[in-house]
Amino acid sequence: TLYGTSPMNKTIKTLEEQGYSMVAGINGSFFDRSTGIPYGIVITNSILRSGGSANAVGFLSDGSALIGDPTVAVTLDYGADTPLVLNYNKAMTVQNGVLLYSQDYDTRTKNTIDGYHVIVRPVGSRAAELRLGQSLTVEVIGMVEDTKSCSIPEDGFLLAIANDTAYKSALAALKGMVMGQQMTIQVTCASGWENVTSACGGGDMLVENGQVCTDFTLDSAKKMAARTAIGVTNDGSLILYTCDEAGNSDGLTLAQLAERMLALGCRTALNLDGGGSSTLWTAQEGVLNHPYDNRRFDHEGERGVPNCIVVRR
């Protein structure tokens, strides 16, 4: 599930127990440390597991990669003039409007504030799955009021909004839904991303069209820190990169990281979660770098992370 985190060594062990022959891996998305929920998109097996508006890296069935802004949007057409914008599989706050949950999130929402919930189920024989560039018709089958942690149905979705939401009209829209009402969930994305089979969100672009980027939004962009990045070269090769802020390494600023990715031949490159999350694993050596977290130690000093980008034979 999306909720919670896992050290990379544990993730790799789980994949190997499932019969995969692993080669290498790095940590992936930025995430909420209190819940483990990633900020950007997550896609596995061509199914959207979590939404988000951040830059991302996506992989096609042939192993080639896309890096950039997937502009994924999840909306609900419920019969009004304007569809509702949905935040898919994210923690509830008073500021983030209408949430949509599947069991990819967890079996319950585990929110800390009271909300109003509408239970919906796909019409016909469709599975409760969202895919980029596709729509899904759902039917209202129940409501749950004034609940913090609400059960998420196995065969459907849960619409939710905080009781004290800043979006009162959206709350009224959910409260106005009735049993048996049919609605359409639409998932749109940038051209080319509809064919992505797996993806995770990242942060600032480091290299675009063979040029280093300089306009960074990350608050630690100018600090020397441990970093993780992913890039694609002109011949389509994938670069997985990690630097430490430990031992003989002082870390890198984002500007220095961008220069480094360009020097490695990247035509595009993306900054991933860094600091104590930075982890690089190989089959020959295990965890190669020295991930360090002042506040929490997990397996062999690793910080638990929400997802990893892994390479297998």
Side-chain angles (χ1 to χ4, degrees):
T1 60
L2 293 162
Y3 199 100
T5 61
S6 176
M8 185 176 294
N9 266 317
K10 183 178 179 181
T11 300
I12 294 294
K13 182 180 179 181
T14 299
L15 290 168
E16 289 177 334
E17 289 172 348
Q18 293 174 0
Y20 293 107
S21 180
M22 308 308 298
V23 175
I26 56 172
N27 62 286
S29 303
F30 290 86
F31 64 101
D32 184 324
R33 292 289 303 279
S34 63
T35 64
I37 300 301
Y39 293 132
I41 66 168
V42 176
I43 296 172
T44 63
N45 298 324
S46 301
I47 300 169
L48 181 66
R49 311 293 182 176
S50 186
S53 58
N55 293 317
V57 54
F59 298 92
L60 303 176
S61 58
D62 63 1
S64 60
L66 300 175
I67 295 178
D69 183 0
T71 59
V72 173
V74 182
T75 58
L76 178 71
D77 184 349
Y78 64 108
D81 292 338
T82 304
L84 290 173
V85 176
L86 306 178
N87 284 307
Y88 187 41
N89 281 334
K90 306 297 181 185
M92 180 186 289
T93 71
V94 298
Q95 296 292 334
N96 62 0
V98 182
L99 290 303
L100 178 70
Y101 293 101
S102 73
Q103 281 211 346
D104 286 325
Y105 185 88
D106 210 319
T107 57
R108 304 187 67 87
T109 60
K110 299 183 177 181
N111 288 316
T112 58
I113 57 177
D114 285 330
Y116 185 84
H117 306 80
V118 177
I119 305 167
V120 299
R121 185 169 55 200
V123 173
S125 59
R126 293 284 298 274
E129 299 171 349
L130 299 185
R131 297 174 184 267
L132 299 190
Q134 297 186 18
S135 62
L136 181 67
T137 301
V138 296
E139 181 180 355
V140 175
I141 61 170
M143 294 85 170
V144 181
E145 299 183 49
D146 302 327
T147 301
K148 293 182 175 68
S149 183
C150 188
S151 294
I152 303 169
E154 290 185 22
D155 59 348
F157 301 91
L158 187 70
L159 289 162
I161 190 168
N163 284 347
D164 295 328
T165 181
Y167 299 92
K168 300 302 182 184
S169 61
L171 175 60
L174 261 65
K175 288 189 172 183
M177 294 174 182
V178 297
M179 295 289 290
Q181 180 177 347
Q182 292 193 0
M183 305 175 290
T184 301
I185 301 172
Q186 180 75 46
V187 185
T188 58
C189 63
S191 177
W193 283 84
E194 65 273 7
N195 298 317
V196 162
T197 60
S198 59
C200 79
D204 290 304
M205 293 295 296
L206 300 170
V207 181
E208 288 188 280
N209 300 317
Q211 302 292 320
V212 293
C213 300
T214 58
D215 186 17
F216 303 123
T217 61
L218 187 66
D219 55 3
S220 65
K222 295 182 179 180
K223 297 179 180 179
M224 301 290 283
R227 305 286 184 185
T228 301
I230 189 166
V232 178
T233 65
N234 283 324
D235 67 1
S237 297
L238 194 68
I239 304 290
L240 308 181
Y241 185 85
T242 299
C243 76
D244 272 329
E245 187 187 4
N248 295 323
S249 174
D250 293 327
L252 293 172
T253 67
L254 278 197
Q256 291 171 331
L257 180 61
E259 293 285 356
R260 179 61 178 149
M261 297 303 284
L262 181 66
L264 289 169
C266 293
R267 71 168 185 267
T268 57
L270 176 70
N271 183 49
L272 299 172
D273 192 15
S277 298
S278 289
T279 310
L280 174 64
W281 180 94
T282 67
Q284 293 83 3
E285 302 290 340
V287 176
L288 281 172
N289 66 315
H290 299 85
Y292 179 72
D293 188 333
N294 287 321
R295 290 165 292 183
R296 171 180 165 193
F297 286 91
D298 282 313
H299 184 77
E300 298 180 2
E302 289 181 67
R303 176 188 291 180
V305 295
N307 50 48
C308 308
I309 299 170
V310 294
V311 181
R312 65 180 176 89
R313 291 184 178 86

